[in-house]
Every structure is written in structure tokens, then in C-alpha cells.
Amino acid sequence: IRRGNHTHKGGGRILYVLEGRGYTVNNDVRLDWQRGDLEILPITPFENSHEHVNLDPCKPCGMFVIGYWPFMEVVAYETRQETDSPDWKGPGNDEVYRPEGFVPESASMRGYDIKVPGRPDTLLDSLYRLRNQQRERIAKARWVVREQDQPVECNRMGFYRWYVHPDLDDVVMHHILFWVHNIPPGSHSGVQKHQGGRIHYVVEGEGYSTVDGKRYDWGPGDMLMLPIKSGGCTFQHFNSGSQPARLACAEPNW
């Protein structure tokens, strides 16, 4: 990353910082981050217009970006490039083909807000009140989840550091679960059976995973994906190296 500005209509993406330090300006709000932090772009009734900036001119900065397409369709998700990164050498905005009227002006029109004081008279008003409560929670929640603020727990699968979880009420978004799985050298995880649809990005370390009895070796920069199968799949992770292994894990929160 150096810098580049674009918008996300609807939001709903999470960005795990793999290396470097910098900040994001999202709708004029500055969000500072560094290696190991998680930045969240929540689903909002307006556009998330933002720019990522690398604060170190001598070192690269990289993020692991996660978005779940079925959820993006539901919230009418749209990405629109506003300015280009200085590293981009391709065609400019005036050369990019877009059908006339592809994004009409009415697409950014907002509805009017409905306040529901007291007990709702109708079930529809109850939905509006729930929406208002969710908006108030988002306004106060964390958009950047810092690594140093999240404790490591030892659970049945091993050592987890949770970033997005249903019980973390102060995090701005919950529709994608996200955690980092730490596996010490020579150790392994527990065994789970899962319906699939989970991804594991190898941040560091070397090892392998068994999925339904078949071995898959991995190293830094690789991604292990659990297939969606009618009967689910059984898996386990092993650290075969001399250094700790870290897997950044994500799955939809159904």
C-alpha cells in the first residue's frame, strides 16, 4: 500500500494488517492501525469513502482483505474507484468503460429516519426501532480492533485471538467471524468437523492440515480452504516447523 481512494457502498469488509503501519481516512474519520490489527468497514446506510495511507516510506504495508459475496449482494454492495494509487500504471478513470446510467444519482438517495419512542405500535415499527438501536451501537463501536487489546484464549482447538465474535458487543460488525489461530512449534490443533466455507490464511510458520484424512502442506502466504460438503469435513492443523505458526481464519456468521 501507498495510497488510493475509493468507496464501498454498503461496507461489510474486514482488513487484517499483515505488515507495516499506517492509517485509513474513512468519511473524514482517521483510523490508525499497525501489524496485527483488524480494520472493519461496517455496513452503513451511506457510502464508506476511504483512503489507506502507509506511514513508513521505506517499508511495504500489506492487508488481508475479506468480504463475503452473498452478504455483499444482499446489501447492494458497490465499489467505485475515486482516485488511483500512485503505483497504478493502467488506464485512467476517463478510459474505463461504464455503461451510461450504470450508477444513477438516485442510488445515493437516503430515506427519511423514523423514530419510535416507547413501545412500537406495529411489528414494522419494531424493525425500525431495532434498526435505530443497531445504528447507535455502530456509532459507538470499534472500527479498528487492536491486537494488543485482544487476549489469547486456550480453547478446545488451541490458542485463539478473537477479533470479531458475537459476544464482542463493542465491535462494529459481526457478519464475518475472524480470529488468529496460534500453533506452537511441534504442536497441533484439536480436531473439528465443520460444514465448510472457512478460510485460513498463513501469516507465518510452516505446517500442514489434514482434511478428511488427506494432507495439505502450507507456508507463509498460502491459504487453506475448507470445502462446503453435504456431510461436512473433518480437519486438524499441525505445526511442522521450528517457529510458531499463525493462521488468520474467517467464515460467515450465519
Side-chain angles (χ1 to χ4, degrees):
I1 295 175
R2 283 210 284 176
R3 61 193 305 158
N5 190 54
H6 58 278
T7 71
H8 292 289
K9 183 80 171 182
R13 277 190 178 178
I14 59 179
L15 305 94
Y16 180 67
V17 184
L18 298 172
E19 58 182 345
R21 63 185 182 90
Y23 65 92
T24 298
V25 178
N26 190 86
N27 295 339
D28 298 326
V29 176
R30 174 166 167 159
L31 307 170
D32 290 275
W33 39 257
Q34 61 184 5
R35 181 180 184 270
D37 293 345
L38 184 74
E39 180 185 355
I40 302 174
L41 298 179
I43 297 172
T44 64
F46 46 84
E47 287 186 298
N48 286 293
S49 179
H50 61 272
E51 182 178 29
H52 307 300
V53 180
N54 184 353
L55 284 175
D56 195 330
C58 301
K59 295 182 179 180
C61 176
M63 289 180 166
F64 176 36
V65 184
I66 303 171
Y68 187 61
W69 183 252
F71 291 158
M72 292 159 66
E73 287 184 323
V74 169
V75 299
Y77 186 95
E78 178 203 2
T79 299
R80 184 168 66 247
Q81 196 71 25
E82 293 187 340
T83 62
D84 294 332
S85 163
D87 300 307
W88 170 245
K89 305 303 180 184
N93 286 336
D94 56 342
E95 302 173 70
V96 178
Y97 169 72
R98 297 188 70 179
E100 185 177 355
F102 180 69
V103 183
E105 290 299 322
S106 58
S108 60
M109 183 172 61
R110 303 185 186 182
Y112 60 92
D113 288 331
I114 298 175
K115 296 183 179 179
V116 186
R119 183 176 179 178
D121 295 327
T122 66
L123 292 178
L124 177 60
D125 282 349
S126 180
L127 287 180
Y128 284 133
R129 184 176 69 167
L130 177 61
R131 178 208 62 183
N132 293 343
Q133 292 171 346
Q134 291 172 339
R135 287 182 178 178
E136 291 174 1
R137 183 186 67 81
I138 287 176
K140 302 174 184 177
R142 289 185 288 171
W143 287 42
V144 175
V145 184
R146 304 197 181 281
E147 180 183 40
Q148 63 187 22
D149 296 335
Q150 301 307 112
V152 175
E153 70 172 19
C154 182
N155 56 40
R156 300 171 191 270
M157 281 298 286
F159 296 100
Y160 277 21
R161 188 189 301 272
W162 287 99
Y163 288 77
V164 183
H165 185 282
D167 287 347
L168 298 177
D169 295 332
D170 62 340
V171 175
V172 76
M173 189 180 72
H174 293 102
H175 77 276
I176 297 177
L177 302 179
F178 185 86
W179 67 99
V180 173
H181 190 169
N182 299 282
I183 308 175
S187 185
H188 57 79
S189 71
V191 180
Q192 265 190 1
K193 186 172 185 180
H194 194 270
Q195 73 270 21
R198 178 186 294 176
I199 58 176
H200 308 76
Y201 180 82
V202 184
V203 179
E204 61 182 357
E206 296 181 346
Y208 65 93
S209 298
T210 56
V211 181
D212 290 337
K214 186 174 180 179
R215 173 170 170 158
Y216 297 90
D217 292 275
W218 41 256
D222 294 342
M223 182 180 290
L224 172 73
M225 295 170 281
L226 297 183
I228 299 174
K229 301 170 63 176
S230 59
C233 57
T234 302
F235 69 97
Q236 187 175 22
H237 307 306
F238 296 82
N239 184 341
S240 60
S242 59
Q243 301 297 323
R246 288 197 301 147
L247 308 177
C249 311
E251 66 178 73
N253 178 16
W254 290 111

